[in-house]
Amino acid sequence: MTTTETTFAVSGQHYLFNVQTFAHTVLALGGDSFAYALRDRTTQGVIDDVASGKSELGVLFETSATADEVNAALDAAGLEFVELIQSAPRVALPASHPMVNAASLTLEDMEDYPYLYFEQDEDSPVAFAEEALAGVPRAKSIACTDRASLSELIVALNGYTVTSGILVGISDGAGLNTVPLETDVRLHLGYVVRKGGQLGEVGQRFVDTLKKNLERYARF
């Protein structure tokens, strides 16, 4: 008797909910044989993986300020963005941070603290940043390429980042709290697929689980 191996790959920006959603999908499907891949990428890396077929879909976000530029890049790559939910940007900072109990924060409130962000490809536009309002100048900034390193540095340096605020119980989010950021900018969270493409069974299950997780944890 032969066993059919199930394959599936997803690429995404450095969001914790990608990890949880992927884990839920794998556990729910089970199976005697499978070959899955979860790839943390830059925004351009997500686009390249999906456009080339290396990954079936990519998870990323755009904002109300960057949507036109991001969607134009997706269109040029033969991809389309499918929005699942909108949310408001939040400041992520350590539980011990002096500003952690604020009702809301502005970027000016945070100007004395190090700003941590995910480094993009050298020639990527500002619109490809994984943080809302990334184009605002900061006096103190540190680029990271790894999710765990960014979280550890935020705690160690009393720093901050701007995020969706969707921290879902994975270990490297446990030391961070979030506070609403005062801005009119909205986050649009979703996934990208090739135009005209149809998700397979595993991909559809992943997307369904992702939507549930986003709806459960999103802050409005």
PDB file of all heavy atoms in Angstrom, residues 52-75:
ATOM      1  N   SER A  52       7.100  32.658  -7.970  1.00  0.00           N
ATOM      2  CA  SER A  52       7.857  31.551  -8.563  1.00  0.00           C
ATOM      3  C   SER A  52       7.228  30.190  -8.306  1.00  0.00           C
ATOM      4  O   SER A  52       7.636  29.192  -8.899  1.00  0.00           O
ATOM      5  CB  SER A  52       9.286  31.543  -8.005  1.00  0.00           C
ATOM      6  OG  SER A  52       9.287  31.200  -6.627  1.00  0.00           O
ATOM      7  N   GLY A  53       6.223  30.141  -7.413  1.00  0.00           N
ATOM      8  CA  GLY A  53       5.601  28.875  -7.075  1.00  0.00           C
ATOM      9  C   GLY A  53       6.313  28.133  -5.959  1.00  0.00           C
ATOM     10  O   GLY A  53       5.927  27.020  -5.601  1.00  0.00           O
ATOM     11  N   LYS A  54       7.339  28.746  -5.373  1.00  0.00           N
ATOM     12  CA  LYS A  54       8.040  28.107  -4.260  1.00  0.00           C
ATOM     13  C   LYS A  54       7.116  27.955  -3.067  1.00  0.00           C
ATOM     14  O   LYS A  54       7.201  26.990  -2.312  1.00  0.00           O
ATOM     15  CB  LYS A  54       9.285  28.918  -3.884  1.00  0.00           C
ATOM     16  CG  LYS A  54      10.172  28.260  -2.843  1.00  0.00           C
ATOM     17  CD  LYS A  54      11.473  29.035  -2.669  1.00  0.00           C
ATOM     18  CE  LYS A  54      12.410  28.303  -1.708  1.00  0.00           C
ATOM     19  NZ  LYS A  54      13.693  29.017  -1.552  1.00  0.00           N
ATOM     20  N   SER A  55       6.247  28.931  -2.868  1.00  0.00           N
ATOM     21  CA  SER A  55       5.212  28.860  -1.836  1.00  0.00           C
ATOM     22  C   SER A  55       3.850  29.053  -2.484  1.00  0.00           C
ATOM     23  O   SER A  55       3.712  29.827  -3.440  1.00  0.00           O
ATOM     24  CB  SER A  55       5.431  29.923  -0.754  1.00  0.00           C
ATOM     25  OG  SER A  55       6.556  29.623   0.037  1.00  0.00           O
ATOM     26  N   GLU A  56       2.855  28.357  -1.945  1.00  0.00           N
ATOM     27  CA  GLU A  56       1.509  28.452  -2.508  1.00  0.00           C
ATOM     28  C   GLU A  56       0.883  29.811  -2.241  1.00  0.00           C
ATOM     29  O   GLU A  56       0.122  30.342  -3.051  1.00  0.00           O
ATOM     30  CB  GLU A  56       0.629  27.346  -1.931  1.00  0.00           C
ATOM     31  CG  GLU A  56      -0.767  27.313  -2.512  1.00  0.00           C
ATOM     32  CD  GLU A  56      -1.591  26.137  -2.016  1.00  0.00           C
ATOM     33  OE1 GLU A  56      -1.004  25.198  -1.433  1.00  0.00           O
ATOM     34  OE2 GLU A  56      -2.815  26.142  -2.212  1.00  0.00           O
ATOM     35  N   LEU A  57       1.184  30.383  -1.096  1.00  0.00           N
ATOM     36  CA  LEU A  57       0.643  31.678  -0.739  1.00  0.00           C
ATOM     37  C   LEU A  57       1.620  32.406   0.165  1.00  0.00           C
ATOM     38  O   LEU A  57       2.548  31.815   0.720  1.00  0.00           O
ATOM     39  CB  LEU A  57      -0.734  31.549  -0.084  1.00  0.00           C
ATOM     40  CG  LEU A  57      -0.850  30.722   1.202  1.00  0.00           C
ATOM     41  CD1 LEU A  57      -0.630  31.590   2.432  1.00  0.00           C
ATOM     42  CD2 LEU A  57      -2.203  30.034   1.286  1.00  0.00           C
ATOM     43  N   GLY A  58       1.395  33.705   0.317  1.00  0.00           N
ATOM     44  CA  GLY A  58       2.234  34.514   1.185  1.00  0.00           C
ATOM     45  C   GLY A  58       1.370  35.362   2.088  1.00  0.00           C
ATOM     46  O   GLY A  58       0.333  35.880   1.663  1.00  0.00           O
ATOM     47  N   VAL A  59       1.786  35.504   3.342  1.00  0.00           N
ATOM     48  CA  VAL A  59       1.041  36.304   4.305  1.00  0.00           C
ATOM     49  C   VAL A  59       1.762  37.635   4.496  1.00  0.00           C
ATOM     50  O   VAL A  59       2.959  37.659   4.824  1.00  0.00           O
ATOM     51  CB  VAL A  59       0.925  35.579   5.660  1.00  0.00           C
ATOM     52  CG1 VAL A  59       0.122  36.426   6.645  1.00  0.00           C
ATOM     53  CG2 VAL A  59       0.267  34.213   5.473  1.00  0.00           C
ATOM     54  N   LEU A  60       1.061  38.726   4.268  1.00  0.00           N
ATOM     55  CA  LEU A  60       1.653  40.037   4.488  1.00  0.00           C
ATOM     56  C   LEU A  60       0.568  41.068   4.776  1.00  0.00           C
ATOM     57  O   LEU A  60      -0.619  40.757   4.779  1.00  0.00           O
ATOM     58  CB  LEU A  60       2.535  40.463   3.307  1.00  0.00           C
ATOM     59  CG  LEU A  60       1.970  40.467   1.874  1.00  0.00           C
ATOM     60  CD1 LEU A  60       0.998  41.605   1.645  1.00  0.00           C
ATOM     61  CD2 LEU A  60       3.109  40.565   0.872  1.00  0.00           C
ATOM     62  N   PHE A  61       1.026  42.288   5.033  1.00  0.00           N
ATOM     63  CA  PHE A  61       0.077  43.356   5.296  1.00  0.00           C
ATOM     64  C   PHE A  61       0.428  44.560   4.442  1.00  0.00           C
ATOM     65  O   PHE A  61       1.544  44.708   3.941  1.00  0.00           O
ATOM     66  CB  PHE A  61       0.093  43.722   6.786  1.00  0.00           C
ATOM     67  CG  PHE A  61       1.033  44.855   7.124  1.00  0.00           C
ATOM     68  CD1 PHE A  61       0.536  46.081   7.523  1.00  0.00           C
ATOM     69  CD2 PHE A  61       2.413  44.697   7.034  1.00  0.00           C
ATOM     70  CE1 PHE A  61       1.398  47.133   7.822  1.00  0.00           C
ATOM     71  CE2 PHE A  61       3.275  45.726   7.336  1.00  0.00           C
ATOM     72  CZ  PHE A  61       2.763  46.954   7.729  1.00  0.00           C
ATOM     73  N   GLU A  62      -0.545  45.389   4.258  1.00  0.00           N
ATOM     74  CA  GLU A  62      -0.333  46.712   3.679  1.00  0.00           C
ATOM     75  C   GLU A  62      -1.126  47.691   4.522  1.00  0.00           C
ATOM     76  O   GLU A  62      -1.994  47.291   5.303  1.00  0.00           O
ATOM     77  CB  GLU A  62      -0.779  46.747   2.208  1.00  0.00           C
ATOM     78  CG  GLU A  62      -2.193  46.273   1.970  1.00  0.00           C
ATOM     79  CD  GLU A  62      -2.527  46.088   0.490  1.00  0.00           C
ATOM     80  OE1 GLU A  62      -1.620  45.743  -0.287  1.00  0.00           O
ATOM     81  OE2 GLU A  62      -3.701  46.286   0.118  1.00  0.00           O
ATOM     82  N   THR A  63      -0.805  48.963   4.418  1.00  0.00           N
ATOM     83  CA  THR A  63      -1.529  49.963   5.190  1.00  0.00           C
ATOM     84  C   THR A  63      -2.336  50.851   4.253  1.00  0.00           C
ATOM     85  O   THR A  63      -2.164  50.822   3.030  1.00  0.00           O
ATOM     86  CB  THR A  63      -0.575  50.854   6.006  1.00  0.00           C
ATOM     87  OG1 THR A  63       0.082  51.778   5.130  1.00  0.00           O
ATOM     88  CG2 THR A  63       0.460  50.026   6.754  1.00  0.00           C
ATOM     89  N   SER A  64      -3.194  51.644   4.849  1.00  0.00           N
ATOM     90  CA  SER A  64      -3.983  52.575   4.036  1.00  0.00           C
ATOM     91  C   SER A  64      -3.081  53.566   3.316  1.00  0.00           C
ATOM     92  O   SER A  64      -3.461  54.117   2.275  1.00  0.00           O
ATOM     93  CB  SER A  64      -4.980  53.321   4.941  1.00  0.00           C
ATOM     94  OG  SER A  64      -4.329  53.881   6.075  1.00  0.00           O
ATOM     95  N   ALA A  65      -1.856  53.759   3.819  1.00  0.00           N
ATOM     96  CA  ALA A  65      -0.920  54.682   3.181  1.00  0.00           C
ATOM     97  C   ALA A  65      -0.051  54.012   2.121  1.00  0.00           C
ATOM     98  O   ALA A  65       0.470  54.688   1.233  1.00  0.00           O
ATOM     99  CB  ALA A  65      -0.022  55.327   4.248  1.00  0.00           C
ATOM    100  N   THR A  66       0.132  52.697   2.203  1.00  0.00           N
ATOM    101  CA  THR A  66       1.045  52.007   1.279  1.00  0.00           C
ATOM    102  C   THR A  66       0.340  51.094   0.290  1.00  0.00           C
ATOM    103  O   THR A  66       0.984  50.529  -0.593  1.00  0.00           O
ATOM    104  CB  THR A  66       2.056  51.155   2.066  1.00  0.00           C
ATOM    105  OG1 THR A  66       1.359  50.098   2.770  1.00  0.00           O
ATOM    106  CG2 THR A  66       2.831  51.995   3.074  1.00  0.00           C
ATOM    107  N   ALA A  67      -0.966  50.926   0.419  1.00  0.00           N
ATOM    108  CA  ALA A  67      -1.696  49.924  -0.360  1.00  0.00           C
ATOM    109  C   ALA A  67      -1.503  50.096  -1.870  1.00  0.00           C
ATOM    110  O   ALA A  67      -1.288  49.117  -2.588  1.00  0.00           O
ATOM    111  CB  ALA A  67      -3.182  49.959  -0.003  1.00  0.00           C
ATOM    112  N   ASP A  68      -1.572  51.321  -2.359  1.00  0.00           N
ATOM    113  CA  ASP A  68      -1.462  51.529  -3.810  1.00  0.00           C
ATOM    114  C   ASP A  68      -0.109  51.049  -4.331  1.00  0.00           C
ATOM    115  O   ASP A  68      -0.039  50.361  -5.368  1.00  0.00           O
ATOM    116  CB  ASP A  68      -1.653  53.009  -4.151  1.00  0.00           C
ATOM    117  CG  ASP A  68      -3.096  53.470  -3.994  1.00  0.00           C
ATOM    118  OD1 ASP A  68      -3.987  52.596  -3.878  1.00  0.00           O
ATOM    119  OD2 ASP A  68      -3.325  54.694  -3.974  1.00  0.00           O
ATOM    120  N   GLU A  69       0.968  51.378  -3.622  1.00  0.00           N
ATOM    121  CA  GLU A  69       2.309  50.992  -4.075  1.00  0.00           C
ATOM    122  C   GLU A  69       2.523  49.491  -3.954  1.00  0.00           C
ATOM    123  O   GLU A  69       3.090  48.853  -4.844  1.00  0.00           O
ATOM    124  CB  GLU A  69       3.366  51.753  -3.282  1.00  0.00           C
ATOM    125  CG  GLU A  69       4.771  51.575  -3.826  1.00  0.00           C
ATOM    126  CD  GLU A  69       5.776  52.519  -3.207  1.00  0.00           C
ATOM    127  OE1 GLU A  69       5.361  53.409  -2.439  1.00  0.00           O
ATOM    128  OE2 GLU A  69       6.979  52.374  -3.490  1.00  0.00           O
ATOM    129  N   VAL A  70       2.075  48.912  -2.859  1.00  0.00           N
ATOM    130  CA  VAL A  70       2.233  47.467  -2.665  1.00  0.00           C
ATOM    131  C   VAL A  70       1.415  46.706  -3.704  1.00  0.00           C
ATOM    132  O   VAL A  70       1.899  45.747  -4.323  1.00  0.00           O
ATOM    133  CB  VAL A  70       1.827  47.056  -1.245  1.00  0.00           C
ATOM    134  CG1 VAL A  70       1.830  45.532  -1.107  1.00  0.00           C
ATOM    135  CG2 VAL A  70       2.767  47.673  -0.213  1.00  0.00           C
ATOM    136  N   ASN A  71       0.179  47.124  -3.924  1.00  0.00           N
ATOM    137  CA  ASN A  71      -0.667  46.425  -4.887  1.00  0.00           C
ATOM    138  C   ASN A  71      -0.123  46.534  -6.305  1.00  0.00           C
ATOM    139  O   ASN A  71      -0.260  45.602  -7.107  1.00  0.00           O
ATOM    140  CB  ASN A  71      -2.092  46.964  -4.824  1.00  0.00           C
ATOM    141  CG  ASN A  71      -2.840  46.483  -3.599  1.00  0.00           C
ATOM    142  OD1 ASN A  71      -2.544  45.420  -3.057  1.00  0.00           O
ATOM    143  ND2 ASN A  71      -3.805  47.270  -3.135  1.00  0.00           N
ATOM    144  N   ALA A  72       0.501  47.662  -6.635  1.00  0.00           N
ATOM    145  CA  ALA A  72       1.113  47.807  -7.957  1.00  0.00           C
ATOM    146  C   ALA A  72       2.263  46.821  -8.128  1.00  0.00           C
ATOM    147  O   ALA A  72       2.430  46.222  -9.199  1.00  0.00           O
ATOM    148  CB  ALA A  72       1.605  49.241  -8.147  1.00  0.00           C
ATOM    149  N   ALA A  73       3.057  46.633  -7.067  1.00  0.00           N
ATOM    150  CA  ALA A  73       4.167  45.671  -7.123  1.00  0.00           C
ATOM    151  C   ALA A  73       3.646  44.244  -7.238  1.00  0.00           C
ATOM    152  O   ALA A  73       4.200  43.425  -7.975  1.00  0.00           O
ATOM    153  CB  ALA A  73       5.044  45.822  -5.884  1.00  0.00           C
ATOM    154  N   LEU A  74       2.576  43.948  -6.536  1.00  0.00           N
ATOM    155  CA  LEU A  74       1.972  42.624  -6.622  1.00  0.00           C
ATOM    156  C   LEU A  74       1.429  42.367  -8.023  1.00  0.00           C
ATOM    157  O   LEU A  74       1.625  41.287  -8.595  1.00  0.00           O
ATOM    158  CB  LEU A  74       0.851  42.484  -5.589  1.00  0.00           C
ATOM    159  CG  LEU A  74       1.256  42.510  -4.119  1.00  0.00           C
ATOM    160  CD1 LEU A  74       0.021  42.504  -3.224  1.00  0.00           C
ATOM    161  CD2 LEU A  74       2.151  41.334  -3.771  1.00  0.00           C
ATOM    162  N   ASP A  75       0.767  43.352  -8.567  1.00  0.00           N
ATOM    163  CA  ASP A  75       0.200  43.215  -9.915  1.00  0.00           C
ATOM    164  C   ASP A  75       1.305  42.963 -10.940  1.00  0.00           C
ATOM    165  O   ASP A  75       1.154  42.116 -11.837  1.00  0.00           O
ATOM    166  CB  ASP A  75      -0.579  44.480 -10.260  1.00  0.00           C
ATOM    167  CG  ASP A  75      -1.266  44.384 -11.612  1.00  0.00           C
ATOM    168  OD1 ASP A  75      -2.176  43.551 -11.765  1.00  0.00           O
ATOM    169  OD2 ASP A  75      -0.879  45.142 -12.525  1.00  0.00           O
TER     170      ASP A  75
END
